[in-house]
Amino acid sequence: MDEREALRLLASDLPHAGDDAAVVGSTAITTDMLHESTDFPVGTTRYTAGWRSVGASLSDLAATGADPTAAVAAYADQSFVDSELRAFVDGAKTVCASVGADYVGGDLDNHSEFTVTTTAIGEVDQPVSRSGAEPGDLVCVTGTLGRSAAALALFEQGETDRANELFRFPPRIETGRRLAGTATALMDSSDGLARSLHQLAEASDCGFAINRDSVPIDASVETLDLDRWEAGVHFGEDFELVCTVPKAALEAVQTDSPTPLTVIGEVTDAKAGVTVDGDPLADRGYTH
Amino acid sequence: MDEREALRLLASDLPHAGDDAAVVGSTAITTDMLHESTDFPVGTTRYTAGWRSVGASLSDLAATGADPTAAVAAYADQSFVDSELRAFVDGAKTVCASVGADYVGGDLDNHSEFTVTTTAIGEVDQPVSRSGAEPGDLVCVTGTLGRSAAALALFEQGETDRANELFRFPPRIETGRRLAGTATALMDSSDGLARSLHQLAEASDCGFAINRDSVPIDASVETLDLDRWEAGVHFGEDFELVCTVPKAALEAVQTDSPTPLTVIGEVTDAKAGVTVDGDPLADRGYTH
């Protein structure tokens, strides 16, 4: 059973299992586990690891429209090194501070492999789920896609400074909060745009007609020997927001969002499926 | 650097690093990572693992005087087995329900070893720290100590049913809430009573005079070939509350606590150190 099947199995027991974050009262909570062999390529600094792992949880809050208040991390490694621990905490604190949240520590554990579990909490009045997209709504994405694919290529080439920079993404909290109450469906792109669209389509019982040329691919992808569509749409591990917005609301949201919000297509009915320039978009991406 | 040194190092960066849970506004949050090779002996069911790991985080909330609202878990293993996942969630939900909290899911990850990180959040008006014990206060402990040492011996003997039962401890939420506003210092006994007392003594700048015969050792310890003092006081991994209470407040707290609250000694000044029947108590226990 892979993670996707396991999640589906659990969805019957846990009403929130399908969403980026669970909402209890007015509090949103989300947790993520990352570890070295799958999530932190050789060359990833502990500062970047702290930023990125805590940032992943903050991104899940953004994808619910929540305002983050605090984050914690459980940090495990074979041994604890002073400078590594401090760098991790520094990265975690910096990404939290960038969105007005407090990083308040966590737990330490000895483990066979560098492993981090981060949890973030926040307040949300009008949580946005994945299930409200309506035909005619516009499909939008924040920022640019492909940063993580580019980072991985750069790590492999030993260009660790640029790779680390790309790995430290800004969680789209302000845009997520602005979308709360306006967007009809919302999630983050951490599984890749293609998988995200398929998940939204399934949850909302709709289809999507995407325009290939509208998908914003990060400039870093262009400078590398990468398939830009693969890097931007299927690779995943980018933490942008993917949302559907009623046409009448778009301009106001775009004006208020501190991050560019690009229209990449339109919501269709379910029968039409998820297409790019009229051709089916494969439901293929990153399985965490 | 072991976990204790690492925690000390981080305490300068993170004001909450020394407490069982961090408090942000009126929300308490705590996270713990457990894994198979160190925390789940052969024979531990996934139901017990779910109960115990989520319970450990709930116990941290109890040790702050908080009222738990929700818990999440990141669940990692080499592969996902339907029955194991369901049993884990069932245990997690049951322990949450026992204290009025919602178990709301979490994350799945593929990892070389069964590893669980749990996070719990709760509300707290008057958080109790470790640092307020005053000479003359009474030292108390909830329930009985040594359950986990007994469980481990039973797991080794293959008596897994009894062992699993002992491993599924009740988090002392009600007593923790009653102690909020009354106890001068509070923590849980997960590092062992001896280490807990030394940590409270350091945080409160006090000493403790403990009466050996007053320490409540679990009946299960007596039936096994175990050193009762070692099992109850140094082994750790029990999730009872250790607190200091002003003498005048004791009777009311004991009356209100649904769990027996046993007086095991008195707070002294720091010079006297931590003693049992007048002899120094070794600062030795479980390092997580």
Side-chain angles (χ1 to χ4, degrees), chain A residues 60-129:
Chain A
D60 281 333
L61 292 186
T64 312
D67 184 16
T69 50
V72 292
Y75 176 108
D77 207 345
Q78 292 186 322
S79 64
F80 302 119
V81 178
D82 183 338
S83 58
E84 289 181 352
L85 261 176
R86 283 187 195 274
F88 180 90
V89 170
D90 195 14
K93 285 172 109 169
T94 305
V95 73
C96 278
S98 77
V99 298
D102 278 334
Y103 178 71
V104 292
D107 190 28
L108 294 170
D109 191 25
N110 275 116
H111 206 298
S112 55
E113 190 186 333
F114 175 50
T115 302
V116 181
T117 305
T118 54
T119 306
I121 57 173
E123 291 301 303
V124 60
D125 290 329
Q126 301 181 74
V128 192
S129 77

Side-chain angles (χ1 to χ4, degrees), chain A residues 1 3 6 9-10 13 31-33 35 76 80 82 85-86 89 93 104 107-111 115 117 119, chain B residues 1 3 6 9-10 13 31-33 35 76 80 82 85-86 89 93 107-111 115 117 119:
Chain A
M1 195 160 52
E3 283 172 36
L9 180 154
L10 289 177
D13 286 337
T31 194
D32 302 274
M33 188 186 288
H35 53 101
F80 302 119
D82 183 338
L85 261 176
R86 283 187 195 274
V89 170
K93 285 172 109 169
V104 292
D107 190 28
L108 294 170
D109 191 25
N110 275 116
H111 206 298
T115 302
T117 305
T119 306
Chain B
M1 194 159 52
E3 283 174 37
L9 179 155
L10 290 176
D13 286 337
T31 193
D32 301 274
M33 187 186 290
H35 53 101
F80 302 119
D82 183 337
L85 261 176
R86 284 188 195 271
V89 169
K93 283 172 111 169
D107 189 28
L108 295 170
D109 192 25
N110 275 115
H111 206 296
T115 302
T117 305
T119 305

